[in-house]
Amino acid sequence: VGAGFLIIVFGKKIGVGFVGRCISGVGSGFLSFVIPVYLGEVGPQKWTKLSQSIFGFSSGIGMIGGLDLAIPFRHHWKLLFKLGLIPVVAQVLFTCFMPESHMYYINNGNDEEALKVLKNSMDEGDAEKELSILKYERQFFFGDGVTFAKKWGDLFSTYSKPFFISIGMSTFAQLIGISAFLYYGSDIFEQAGNDLEGIQEREESSDILDNFVVGTYVFGNIISAIIIPLTGRKWILTVGLPTIFVSLLGLSYTMHEANYGDQNDSDKLDQEEYKHTDRAAFLFFLMLYVLAASIGFSGAVSGITSEIIPNYLLGTAVSLSSFTGWITNFIINLFFLDFLDDPQGKWYVFLIL
C-alpha cells in the first residue's frame, strides 16, 4: 500500500498514478484477507466476535477521518495520499511488535511459542488446556498425509455446508449495497437534493452529510460488538434483514418524491416544501438502512468463517469468501453510479437492492 502511495505522490503522469493505484489496491486486498484471519487466530474464540466488530468500528473511524480530510483538500489529491502514508507507516511499525498467532506456531510445530502467545490472552491453566486441544487436533489436520488436494477436498465435501454458508454470507453482505452507500454517500445526497443551511455548494453540503452515513456505520459496529456475544448472529440477521428491506423501500419512494414529487402543483414554494419534507424522510431512511446493515451484516458476517471452519482450512476459506465478497462489491459498484445518474434509475436502484 505504501509503495503504491509513493508512486502516486512522486509520479508525474496519469499512467504512473494508475500503476500506483493498482499496487496499493493489491496491498489492500492482501490486508483485507490477512487481518480477519489474524484476528480469528490470535486470541481466544470467545473474543472473536468482539475483535471483528472493533475492526469494523476502526475502519469506520478511518473512513470518517479520510472523508473529513477530503472535503477541504478534495482538489489537492496528492496531499491526501501523503497524509495516507502516516497510518501506513504507523501500521508497519506496530506490526513489528505484534506476536505471531498461536495457530501459526501450532501449525509449524513450535508448541512452546504457541503457549507464550496463548498466555497473553488467558490465564496459564486455560492456556495449557487450549494448547493441549490444539495439539490433539493437529494430528488429524497436519502431517504428511494431509495434502493440498485433501484440504480442498475436505473444504468442498466434509465442510461444504459451513463453507458455502461463509461464501453466501460474504456475498449477500455486498449484495445489499452497503459498500456503495459508504463509497458514494455524497453522490446519493446530491441526487436526492439534500443540503445544509448556510452552505452554498451542494457538493460540499453532500460531503458533510456523508459524515452522518459513515458515523452511523461506526455506531452500528459499536452496537454489533456489544450485542453479538449476547444474542448470536442469527437473531441479529433476523431483525436486520426486514429493517433493511423496509428502509430500502422508503429510500426508493422518498428519492422519487424528492426529485419528482408534487409536480402538478403550480406553486413552486409548495412544491419545494413538499420535496424538502421528502428529503428529510430520505435522510431518516438512509440512516436506518446503514444502521441495520452495519449491525446485521458488518460484525455479524466478518467473523463467522473463523467460527464454523476448522483451523487447517481457515486461510483457504477466508480467502475464497473474501474473494467472492470483493467480486460482488466490484459488480455492485460498477453499475451503482450509472443507475444513480439515470433520471429513473436513481430511485429504482434501491428497489433492486
Side-chain angles (χ1 to χ4, degrees):
V1 175
F5 281 15
L6 287 172
I7 290 172
I8 293 170
V9 168
F10 291 105
K12 301 297 182 182
K13 296 182 178 180
I14 190 68
V16 176
F18 282 136
V19 171
R21 186 64 189 89
C22 289
I23 292 173
S24 62
V26 170
S28 298
F30 276 117
L31 290 175
S32 70
F33 157 68
V34 171
I35 292 175
V37 173
Y38 180 78
L39 291 175
E41 290 184 355
V42 74
Q45 194 74 23
K46 65 179 181 179
W47 296 115
T48 300
K49 300 181 183 73
L50 181 61
S51 64
Q52 295 286 356
S53 296
I54 291 174
F55 173 59
F57 163 74
S58 302
S59 299
I61 292 293
M63 290 179 190
I64 291 178
L67 178 63
D68 286 336
L69 285 172
I71 294 172
F73 299 114
R74 63 179 180 271
H75 302 304
H76 305 278
W77 54 271
K78 283 204 172 189
L79 176 60
L80 290 174
F81 280 103
K82 291 177 183 177
L83 293 171
L85 284 168
I86 297 174
V88 170
V89 172
Q91 188 168 355
V92 170
L93 293 175
F94 279 123
T95 303
C96 295
F97 299 97
M98 288 166 55
E100 277 287 1
S101 71
H102 61 273
M103 289 308 306
Y104 170 81
Y105 290 123
I106 285 288
N107 297 344
N108 288 276
N110 195 338
D111 298 345
E112 189 175 324
E113 289 298 323
L115 183 59
K116 289 180 182 178
V117 174
L118 286 169
K119 286 179 179 178
N120 290 332
S121 56
M122 56 183 75
D123 60 48
E124 186 171 350
D126 289 340
E128 290 177 351
K129 186 184 297 184
E130 182 72 13
L131 179 65
S132 65
I133 293 171
L134 293 172
K135 286 169 67 176
Y136 175 76
E137 292 177 347
R138 182 175 59 192
Q139 64 180 315
F140 301 104
F141 298 146
F142 295 94
D144 296 335
V146 185
T147 62
F148 178 81
K150 183 184 185 306
K151 287 183 178 182
W152 279 77
D154 288 352
L155 193 62
F156 285 94
S157 57
T158 308
Y159 297 101
S160 60
K161 185 174 180 179
F163 173 60
F164 284 112
I165 288 174
S166 173
I167 292 284
M169 294 288 283
S170 179
T171 302
F172 280 107
Q174 297 299 329
L175 282 174
I176 64 170
I178 183 61
S179 61
F181 283 77
L182 295 174
Y183 296 159
Y184 307 122
S186 58
D187 298 276
I188 294 171
F189 281 122
E190 196 168 345
Q191 290 293 340
N194 291 90
D195 50 25
L196 294 172
E197 188 176 348
I199 298 177
Q200 298 299 319
E201 291 187 38
R202 176 160 287 176
E203 181 183 356
E204 184 177 349
S205 180
S206 298
D207 287 339
I208 295 172
L209 283 169
D210 196 26
N211 272 285
F212 290 100
V213 174
V214 182
T216 304
Y217 178 79
V218 172
F219 181 62
N221 274 279
I222 296 174
I223 296 176
S224 179
I226 295 171
I227 66 175
I228 282 180
L230 302 175
T231 65
R233 301 177 192 275
K234 184 177 179 180
W235 183 87
I236 292 178
L237 291 170
T238 303
V239 174
L241 277 171
T243 307
I244 292 170
F245 178 79
V246 171
S247 59
L248 285 169
L249 287 178
L251 284 170
S252 178
Y253 175 78
T254 51
M255 173 66 89
H256 179 274
E257 294 301 296
N259 282 276
Y260 310 115
D262 209 27
Q263 287 186 334
N264 295 326
D265 194 328
S266 58
D267 191 325
K268 294 296 181 183
L269 288 176
D270 286 346
Q271 195 177 107
E272 284 304 310
E273 185 177 344
Y274 179 85
K275 290 181 178 180
H276 182 75
T277 303
D278 280 296
R279 285 164 186 154
F282 180 85
L283 180 61
F284 166 78
F285 282 115
L286 185 57
M287 296 301 103
L288 179 64
Y289 164 85
V290 174
L291 186 64
S294 59
I295 296 174
F297 274 93
S298 181
V301 171
S302 58
I304 194 170
T305 306
S306 62
E307 295 182 358
I308 61 177
I309 299 291
N311 289 319
Y312 81 111
L313 298 175
L314 188 57
T316 304
V318 169
S319 63
L320 290 174
S321 64
S322 297
F323 174 75
T324 55
W326 280 111
I327 288 294
T328 309
N329 180 309
F330 171 74
I331 294 171
I332 293 291
N333 290 291
L334 185 65
F335 298 105
F336 186 82
L337 280 181
D338 291 331
F339 276 102
L340 203 60
D341 290 334
D342 184 83
Q344 299 302 318
K346 66 178 63 178
W347 63 270
Y348 66 71
V349 67
F350 300 112
L351 290 179
I352 295 173
L353 293 175

